[in-house]
């Protein structure tokens, strides 16, 4: 067990190093780069001189050769001058640190404990993801991500819990009553869930519960009687003002209260739950079918145990084993996932941050999110494998 | 108990029949036809493919009255008509118009061409890479196997959607010289999607080859002096095909979904070139006044992906009932 853990952890580290390498190469090896537009603007007065561009490049740390840029991204820049002195390149490398770092005397000494105030970049290995270039110019990337994390975690955690609570019983029942009407409905529903573009489902939800509810589906009698049905907000985390006739208005929910937030979460949650419900209930069903065919289930039945006990205690427990590994994979999804949901519902979470950073060439944010999700995926795989072996003694560490 | 009389001729005939290659296919065909939904899906897919192939050609012969130009204009020109933006379905525009007054039906059909071509090419490329690498990996074993499998694992472990978005956001501005920009966009999307998607079929074909490697017919082929490449292409890959075909069919739907999601987010194929995904992108702003723009392309995505999934399900039952995919 210990050997296995050590070997897997080493593998994990190697994979993460490869991943950082891949992330860096993808973003930086393509010709052009984030500044390529600056000296090509049509208006000559807006065009930046080469000198100005060189200054920007130095401030962003883009003036270094690629390998050195990779190393400073990973390990920080406070060591660059020391290394330059050792290999006798002090002069050539003089500009290879950011102005902020040079002004502070090219070292983080005296600011060791505080990430925010350390003038030199410390690198992702020391949890410093640098400073945002565009989305929140000048702000620490870790702060920006931290600010959005809460929204994403709230959304994804709700979805995960909700869809597990629904999907597992559904999967079990449809396996126990295989070929019943319920089973048929569940399988069809599962296929639809797998084939449905989630963002489209989101659009439809907004059309129905946001717009058509407000317009009473265009039915005059309904309009005269109610004005509008209590409609849902079409996006955001909380309302800036309560619209007349909206669901918050009808139930007297104050703007910005936690109920307001819950109401905003409803449609995104519905959309994502539908998507994961389909695959999880299918998975649980097939796993349960497999187990129900086993001899020990027949033994349990022939011992005269009640059907409920056989199914819940003997079959369902074992059928959960493969499902658990799939669920563990939800950990990284909580962080990076929901890109589509967050865009459809303009919900300010990590997913939308990522899209915005990509569109605005804000590479420190892009690289940070990619790096963190790579770590989470690797970690989730490890946890999944370990759980698998712990739960099922038949699987040996090897 | 009486022993049934055995008709030797009949048995011989049956044995002969089974040995023939065509009859294997007709057995599969028979099984597929019994899976009703898969069979319906096959028909639906055939209709969609026929529609997107022929539809634009027919519309190329037809004209409609363009208000802005005050003239009859050919559908196939995909002309804007700012005087009739977001018009609801009418006899001129069967599925209405979009925010620039273009005919939604025509755009839907050419978008379908592009989406289906992309998903077909992606699946073909990733399956060819996967099946070959998997066969090599399983056949040789040893360090070749570990190397290929580690690479495949690395690709599986990469966070897929963020990585896809990153790759396409970087590559969509790169132009391949000598090709129209919309083509180089599609080519990059195809390359990116197949580049990230091969490990699935690689693992599958490796598994099949591992089980075949030590069987007698492989030894016989070796003893007869067949080259490794010959054994892999003639004996290993054909045996790995049935499960891979199932995986590929299911993959077709997946690629359509991924491509449309990328285009929807603005990181796939950019307008004015139409794909089902980017037609939904602008639909969001006019969702309240022109809901058909959001409903129709999404419906086509749903139907074609659903059909591919059911077909894949049916093919699995027909080709390899014990396969778990």
């Amino acid at each position: 067990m210990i050997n296995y853990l050590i070997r897997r952890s080493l593998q994990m580290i190697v994979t993460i190093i490869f991943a950082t390498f891949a992330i860096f190469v993808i973003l930086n090896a393509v010709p052009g780069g984030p500044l390529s537009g600056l000296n090509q603007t049509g208006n000559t007065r807006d065009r930046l001189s080469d000198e100005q561009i060189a200054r920007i490049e130095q401030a962003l740390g883009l003036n270094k050769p690629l390998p050195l840029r990779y190393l400073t991204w990973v390990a920080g820049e406070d060591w660059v001058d020391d290394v330059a002195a050792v290999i006798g390149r002090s002069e050539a490398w003089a500009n290879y640190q950011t102005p902020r770092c040079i002004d502070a005397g090219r070292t983080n000494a005296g600011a060791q404990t505080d990430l925010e105030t350390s003038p030199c970049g410390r690198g992702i290995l020391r949890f410093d993801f640098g400073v945002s270039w565009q989305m929140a110019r000048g702000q620490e990337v870790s702060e920006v991500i931290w600010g959005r994390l809460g929204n994403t975690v709230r959304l994804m955690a709700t979805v995960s819990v909700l869809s597990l609570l629904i999907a597992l019983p559904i999967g079990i029942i449809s396996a126990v009553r295989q070929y019943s009407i319920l089973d048929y409905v569940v399988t069809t529903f599962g296929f639809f869930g797998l084939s449905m573009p989630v963002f489209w489902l989101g659009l439809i939800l907004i059309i129905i519960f946001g717009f058509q509810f407000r317009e009473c589906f265009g039915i005059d009698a309904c309009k005269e009687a109610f004005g509008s049905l209590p409609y849902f907000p079409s996006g955001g985390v909380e309302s800036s003002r309560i619209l007349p006739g909206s669901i918050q208005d009808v139930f007297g929910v104050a703007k910005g209260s936690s109920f307001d937030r819950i109401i905003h979460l409803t449609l995104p949650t519905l959309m994502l739950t539908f998507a994961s419900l389909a695959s999880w209930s299918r998975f649980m069903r097939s796993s349960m079918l497999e187990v129900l065919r086993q001899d020990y289930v027949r033994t349990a039945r022939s011992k005269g145990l009640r059907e409920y006990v056989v199914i819940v205690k003997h079959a369902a427990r074992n059928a959960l084993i493969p499902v658990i590994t799939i669920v563990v994979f939800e950990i990284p999804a909580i962080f990076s996932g929901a890109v589509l949901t967050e865009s459809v519902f303009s919900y300010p979470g990590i997913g939308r941050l990522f899209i915005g950073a990509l569109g605005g060439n804000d590479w420190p944010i892009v690289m940070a999110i990619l790096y963190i999700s790579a770590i989470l995926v690797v970690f989730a795989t490890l946890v999944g494998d370990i759980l698998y072996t712990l739960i099922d003694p038949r699987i040996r560490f090897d | 108990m009486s022993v049934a009389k055995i008709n030797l001729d009949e048995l011989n005939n049956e044995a002969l029949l089974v040995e023939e290659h065509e009859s294997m296919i007709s057995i599969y065909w028979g099984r597929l036809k019994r899976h009703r939904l898969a069979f319906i899906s096959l028909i639906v897919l055939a209709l969609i493919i026929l529609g997107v192939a022929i539809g634009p050609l027919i519309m190329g012969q037809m004209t409609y009255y363009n208000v802005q130009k005050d003239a009859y204009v050919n559908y196939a020109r995909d002309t804007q008509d700012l005087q009739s933006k977001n018009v609801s379905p009418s006899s001129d525009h069967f599925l209405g118009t979009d925010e620039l007054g273009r005919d939604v039906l025509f755009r839907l059909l050419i978008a379908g061409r592009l989406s289906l071509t992309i998903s077909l090419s992606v699946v073909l490329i990733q399956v060819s890479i996967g099946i070959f690498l998997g066969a090599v990996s399983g056949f040789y074993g040893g360090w070749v196997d570990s190397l290929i499998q580690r690479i495949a694992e690395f690709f599986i472990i990469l966070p897929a959607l963020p990585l896809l978005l990153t790759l396409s956001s970087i590559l969509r501005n790169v132009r391949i010289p000598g090709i129209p920009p919309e083509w180089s966009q599609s080519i990059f999307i195809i390359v990116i999607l197949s580049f990230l998607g091969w490990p699935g079929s690689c693992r599958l074909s490796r598994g099949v080859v591992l089980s075949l490697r030590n069987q007698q017919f492989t030894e016989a082929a070796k003893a007869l002096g067949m080259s490794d490449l010959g054994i892999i292409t003639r004996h290993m890959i054909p045996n790995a095909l049935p499960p891979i075909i199932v995986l590929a069919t299911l993959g077709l739907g997946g690629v359509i979904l991924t491509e449309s999601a990328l285009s929807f987010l603005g990181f796939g194929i950019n307008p004015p070139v139409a794909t089902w995904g980017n037609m939904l992108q602008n639909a969001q702003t006019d969702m309240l006044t022109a809901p058909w723009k959001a409903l129709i392309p999404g419906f086509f995505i749903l139907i074609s992906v659903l059909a591919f999934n059911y077909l894949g399900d049916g093919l699995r039952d027909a080709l390899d009932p014990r396969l778990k995919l």
Side-chain angles (χ1 to χ4, degrees):
Chain A
M1 175 78 183
I2 302 276
N3 271 338
Y4 173 78
L5 279 181
I6 292 173
R7 210 182 57 224
R8 282 302 304 264
S9 310
L10 286 178
Q11 273 178 6
M12 234 172 96
I13 292 167
V14 172
T15 316
I16 288 173
I17 289 173
F18 269 110
T20 61
F21 192 66
I23 292 166
F24 182 82
V25 167
I26 287 169
L27 278 163
N28 292 278
V30 174
L35 301 181
S36 60
L38 290 180
N39 56 354
Q40 287 159 7
T41 351
N43 187 348
T44 38
R45 268 187 16 217
D46 293 345
R47 212 176 279 178
L48 298 182
S49 66
D50 289 349
E51 192 190 324
Q52 282 168 317
I53 288 183
R55 273 225 306 277
I56 297 176
E57 275 186 343
Q58 192 191 346
L60 301 181
L62 289 172
N63 56 343
K64 298 183 280 287
L66 274 181
L68 201 57
R69 246 158 80 189
Y70 172 69
L71 287 178
T72 49
W73 177 57
V74 171
E77 54 172 355
D78 46 351
W79 48 269
V80 171
D81 57 322
D82 301 330
V83 172
V86 169
I87 61 171
R89 284 275 183 95
S90 285
E91 214 153 288
W93 286 21
N95 283 334
Y96 282 176
Q97 281 166 308
T98 52
R100 194 168 160 233
C101 182
I102 295 175
D103 291 344
R106 298 176 187 269
T107 172
N108 273 332
Q112 286 297 336
T113 49
D114 194 351
L115 275 183
E116 244 175 87
T117 53
S118 54
C120 299
R122 300 156 68 95
I124 53 168
L125 289 185
R126 288 182 280 172
F127 306 104
D128 179 6
F129 301 106
V131 170
S132 163
W133 291 352
Q134 222 241 326
M135 293 286 286
R137 197 172 290 167
Q139 214 179 330
E140 290 274 336
V141 171
S142 42
E143 259 175 51
V144 180
I145 291 181
W146 191 248
R148 299 285 192 100
L149 192 62
N151 287 337
T152 298
V153 169
R154 265 191 290 279
L155 173 64
M156 296 306 286
T158 318
V159 169
S160 309
V161 172
L162 205 64
S163 45
L164 273 180
L165 283 182
I166 305 173
L168 298 185
I170 284 184
I172 293 173
I173 295 171
S174 73
V176 172
R177 307 236 180 289
Q178 200 186 2
Y179 303 126
S180 66
I181 293 176
L182 177 87
D183 182 36
Y184 186 74
V185 169
V186 167
T187 1
T188 316
F189 173 79
F191 263 103
F192 267 85
L194 285 183
S195 315
M196 177 95 71
V198 262
F199 52 96
W200 184 61
L201 180 65
L203 295 179
I204 290 180
L205 288 178
I206 295 177
I207 289 181
I208 296 177
F209 294 107
F211 177 66
Q212 296 292 356
F213 264 44
R214 193 170 75 204
E215 298 298 313
C216 254
F217 292 93
I219 300 165
D220 289 333
C222 163
K223 264 187 185 168
E224 276 162 29
F226 306 109
S228 68
L229 296 171
Y231 59 92
F232 277 89
S234 62
V237 247
E238 54 182 44
S239 12
S240 49
R241 68 192 179 89
I242 301 292
L243 297 165
S246 67
I247 194 158
Q248 294 97 321
D249 187 33
V250 171
F251 289 101
V253 175
K255 65 176 180 187
S257 65
S258 44
F259 278 114
D260 188 22
R261 284 166 170 259
I262 290 173
I263 288 168
H264 277 84
L265 267 178
T266 310
L267 292 188
T269 308
L270 211 62
M271 160 182 164
L272 270 176
T273 307
F274 181 79
S276 36
L277 204 58
S279 60
W280 284 0
S281 61
R282 259 169 72 89
F283 202 77
M284 186 66 208
R285 175 179 177 270
S286 67
S287 167
M288 189 72 186
L289 280 177
E290 188 92 341
V291 171
L292 282 175
R293 260 183 249 133
Q294 305 281 329
D295 286 339
Y296 65 79
V297 172
R298 196 182 308 146
T299 312
R301 282 205 181 110
S302 58
K303 278 198 305 188
L305 290 178
R306 275 179 301 139
E307 187 64 14
Y308 172 82
V309 178
V310 173
I311 286 165
V312 174
K313 288 226 165 139
H314 291 250
R317 267 194 176 180
N318 285 297
L320 272 175
I321 295 172
V323 178
I324 283 172
T325 46
I326 300 290
V327 171
V328 170
F329 268 102
E330 279 297 294
I331 299 173
I334 286 178
F335 181 75
S336 74
V339 171
L340 286 162
T341 324
E342 290 178 7
S343 322
V344 172
F345 290 96
S346 33
Y347 186 84
I350 301 284
R352 243 180 105 221
L353 178 71
F354 185 71
I355 295 281
L358 270 181
N361 278 335
D362 199 336
W363 289 359
I365 291 186
V366 173
M367 299 210 290
I369 293 182
L370 283 176
Y371 171 67
I372 296 174
S373 36
I375 289 184
L376 286 177
V377 178
V378 173
F379 188 68
T381 326
L382 180 68
V383 172
D385 284 359
I386 292 175
L387 273 181
Y388 212 83
T389 44
L390 283 182
I391 298 169
D392 191 345
R394 285 171 301 181
I395 302 159
R396 266 184 261 135
F397 299 101
D398 202 41
Chain B
M1 221 200 272
S2 67
V3 180
K5 223 179 181 183
I6 295 171
N7 187 341
L8 269 181
D9 285 342
E10 216 167 74
L11 264 186
N12 269 338
N13 283 341
E14 262 175 38
L16 280 175
L17 267 177
V18 173
E19 267 170 31
E20 265 180 51
H21 192 62
E22 275 79 6
S23 77
M24 207 56 210
I25 286 178
S26 73
I27 289 173
Y28 290 151
W29 176 240
R31 284 197 214 151
L32 184 65
K33 269 202 291 198
R34 246 180 291 151
H35 195 300
R36 224 184 315 149
L37 280 168
F39 192 65
I40 295 171
S41 300
L42 198 64
I43 296 171
V44 168
L45 282 173
L47 286 179
I48 291 178
I49 291 172
L50 210 67
V52 299
I54 297 176
L57 298 179
I58 296 174
M59 292 185 82
Q61 308 295 319
M62 290 157 63
T63 55
Y64 70 98
Y65 179 65
N66 187 316
V67 186
Q68 187 190 14
K69 288 197 169 3
D70 192 20
Y72 283 90
V73 175
N74 196 323
Y75 281 106
R77 302 275 282 284
D78 200 16
T79 325
Q80 300 184 359
D81 181 357
L82 298 176
Q83 302 281 330
S84 47
K85 287 188 275 190
N86 292 333
V87 170
S88 51
S90 66
S91 60
D92 257 359
H93 304 286
F94 291 120
L95 295 179
T97 61
D98 64 4
E99 68 282 357
L100 294 173
R102 294 169 298 194
D103 188 69
V104 169
L105 177 62
F106 180 74
R107 287 179 70 72
L108 192 72
L109 292 176
I110 48 170
R113 268 188 188 178
L114 193 56
S115 295
L116 290 177
T117 317
I118 288 179
S119 80
L120 209 62
S121 341
V122 167
V123 167
L124 275 181
I125 294 174
Q126 70 186 25
V127 160
S128 329
I129 299 176
I131 202 172
F132 185 73
L133 284 181
V136 168
S137 171
F139 186 75
Y140 287 108
W143 67 269
V144 179
D145 185 32
S146 338
L147 181 71
I148 294 178
Q149 290 315 304
R150 287 302 89 72
I151 296 175
E153 273 167 22
F154 183 65
F155 272 87
I156 291 175
I157 235 171
L158 290 173
L161 189 60
L163 198 69
L164 276 176
L165 288 169
T166 315
L167 277 172
S168 57
S169 88
I170 281 170
L171 288 178
R172 77 200 152 125
N173 297 324
V174 179
R175 298 263 170 277
I176 305 174
I179 321 183
E182 65 266 23
W183 281 38
S184 61
Q185 259 181 12
S186 321
I187 290 173
F188 277 127
I189 291 292
I190 292 172
V191 169
I192 294 168
L193 288 176
S194 20
F195 177 69
L196 288 178
W198 60 270
S201 45
C202 174
R203 290 193 144 186
L204 206 55
S205 89
R206 173 177 175 266
V208 176
V209 169
L210 273 182
S211 71
L212 293 177
R213 187 175 59 175
N214 297 322
Q215 284 188 17
Q216 279 171 341
F217 72 90
T218 319
E219 277 172 39
K222 260 187 202 157
L224 286 170
M226 203 168 189
S227 68
D228 285 354
L229 190 71
I231 296 175
I232 289 174
T233 50
R234 291 277 182 78
H235 292 294
M236 298 294 157
I237 290 182
N239 274 301
L241 269 181
I244 296 259
I245 288 174
V246 177
L247 187 75
T249 317
L250 296 171
L252 281 168
V255 174
I256 293 182
L257 280 181
T258 317
E259 183 270 323
S260 64
L262 282 181
S263 298
F264 172 73
L265 291 171
F267 290 89
I269 313 265
N270 288 341
V273 184
T275 69
W276 287 338
N278 73 20
M279 286 176 79
L280 283 171
Q281 186 184 13
N282 300 321
Q284 206 172 354
T285 46
D286 302 313
M287 203 155 47
L288 310 180
T289 47
W292 58 89
K293 272 178 15 192
L295 293 177
I296 295 163
F299 180 73
F300 270 75
I301 300 176
L302 171 67
I303 290 298
S304 46
V305 177
L306 197 61
F308 278 126
N309 281 344
Y310 269 124
L311 184 62
D313 198 49
L315 280 173
R316 167 179 45 210
D317 290 354
L319 296 180
D320 193 348
R322 277 172 310 167
L323 190 68
K324 276 203 230 160
L325 271 180

